[in-house]
Amino acid sequence: MASTRLVYILAIGVFGILNTEMGIIGILPYIAENYQISLSQAGSLLSIFALGVAISGPTMPLLLSKWPRKPLMLLVLAIFTMTSILAAWAPNFETLFVARLVPALLHPVYCAMAFSLAASSVARKEAPKAVAKINMGVAAGMVVGIPISNWLAVHFGLSLAFLFSALVTALVFVMTVLYIPNSLPKETISYGEQLRVLRKPTLWLSIVFVIALNGSIYGVYNYFVEYALDVSALSTNVVSVTLLVYGLMNLVGSGLAGRLLSNQAIRTIQGVLLLIIVIYSSFLVGGSQRWLAIGLVTFWGIIAGISANITQYWITRAAREALNFANGLFLTAANIGVIVGTTLCGLGINQYGIGTIMYGGIALVVVAIVVFTYQRFYERSAYSEAVHEI
């Protein structure tokens, strides 16, 4: 019961963290208008957050791994709350920029802890199910936060949109004080031992796999609004609803992933990789058919939700002895994947048009398949050699 409560509080906390990061997408036009800047300048608030996460992902969780967990969680939540309040009444854009950068550096600290604590709070076989609940918080933060922030900004003003983020993290702060025990396990191995996992070839293969798979999903997703409008000829209202359905299906996929990875991890990964190719190929063939496109987005949302769990599972599987550090590496690899996928698909759009994003997605998932297959072959060879030596 105590472990279940811990996981749910962590999931809500991750929702608050991700809402702070992604919710701003829904209010960028209002920020541009309020501070008399261009939309691209306002967009830098999202970019600086992502860059901060990518940089601090492998460093901050490692440096702070020896700190007591509960006080560290409270510190991160307090900083997120205070910077959101500062953002709500930032007198100028420079102040708002700083209010975004500071929490970004601590984002991986909380999320890495959430993943590792969820996994370690249950039996090893049940870990994927616990981690799936954290990923549901991630998906909810990315999906629910955007329309909520937009609605608050439209009806009550820009400040209320930022204060919603502050309210969520403040609520989790109180829940952490009241319900999370002081005796949470912390990293017991030394910094050197944690860094030694970087010597493992399987970890580097896992990182490349995560970059490719996450890039395949987000390279397509980040341009999908334009694809849906131009290729599928959906109206703006239908696109909004379709993306909401995609996000909700992400939650469904995350819920399914826990069971699938607990019981049939390798087969699940193989199936998801092939299904992504099938989905993107189906878009190439029938993406101009409205109802087919909507159906494909619904199915894609489920597969993307499972994929998010696969990427986290695959890196931590390669470095179980340093979970916190591994989860920090996962966050960095996932963000690099977003950058790689967005860049590759963007280049295709510039050269050949919006319809080519599916080719970029297919190319990256093929890379993921090749790396995954090679890694499995490498692991079997290493295991055979170890048995032979015995």
Side-chain angles (χ1 to χ4, degrees), residues 322-340:
L323 273 182
N324 218 46
F325 183 45
N327 280 310
L329 292 172
F330 157 68
L331 292 167
T332 293
N335 276 274
I336 292 173
V338 173
I339 295 169
V340 170

Side-chain angles (χ1 to χ4, degrees), residues 127-329:
K129 295 180 182 178
V131 170
K133 292 183 174 66
I134 304 300
N135 268 315
M136 290 178 75
V138 172
M142 297 179 71
V143 175
V144 178
I146 295 171
I148 288 178
S149 297
N150 177 270
W151 186 82
L152 288 171
V154 169
H155 294 282
F156 300 101
L158 190 59
S159 294
L160 263 293
F162 287 113
L163 289 177
F164 171 71
S165 297
L167 177 63
V168 175
T169 50
L171 175 63
V172 180
F173 182 96
V174 173
M175 294 170 70
T176 302
V177 170
L178 296 178
Y179 299 115
I180 289 187
N182 294 319
S183 56
L184 290 174
K186 62 180 180 179
E187 197 67 77
T188 55
I189 64 175
S190 67
Y191 294 124
E193 288 174 307
Q194 292 182 67
L195 286 170
R196 269 197 285 276
V197 300
L198 294 174
R199 297 177 180 177
K200 300 172 70 173
T202 52
L203 177 59
W204 288 102
L205 289 168
S206 297
I207 289 172
V208 175
F209 172 81
V210 170
I211 291 172
L213 181 52
N214 218 47
S216 175
I217 296 294
Y218 283 96
V220 175
Y221 178 76
N222 287 347
Y223 296 109
F224 192 76
V225 170
E226 187 176 349
Y227 179 92
L229 292 170
D230 292 353
V231 177
S232 302
L234 302 179
S235 68
T236 53
N237 288 334
V238 173
V239 170
S240 298
V241 173
T242 302
L243 290 179
L244 178 60
V245 170
Y246 172 91
L248 294 175
M249 290 303 101
N250 258 237
L251 297 176
V252 173
S254 287
L256 290 173
R259 293 187 179 89
L260 292 170
L261 290 172
S262 294
N263 298 319
Q264 295 286 345
I266 300 302
R267 289 184 180 179
T268 297
I269 296 170
Q270 291 169 335
V272 164
L273 293 173
L274 292 175
L275 284 172
I276 293 172
I277 291 180
V278 170
I279 291 168
Y280 291 165
S281 298
S282 299
F283 272 117
L284 287 171
V285 174
S288 59
Q289 304 299 314
R290 296 180 184 181
W291 289 108
L292 177 60
I294 292 171
L296 286 171
V297 168
T298 303
F299 186 51
W300 181 34
I302 297 173
I303 298 303
I306 300 173
S307 172
N309 285 261
I310 286 172
T311 52
Q312 190 275 340
Y313 169 84
W314 201 241
I315 281 188
T316 54
R317 171 185 176 275
R320 288 194 180 102
E321 63 271 42
L323 273 182
N324 218 46
F325 183 45
N327 280 310
L329 292 172

Side-chain angles (χ1 to χ4, degrees), residues 344-357:
L344 178 63
C345 291
L347 290 172
I349 292 170
N350 291 337
Q351 292 293 321
Y352 304 106
I354 186 64
T356 60
I357 60 171

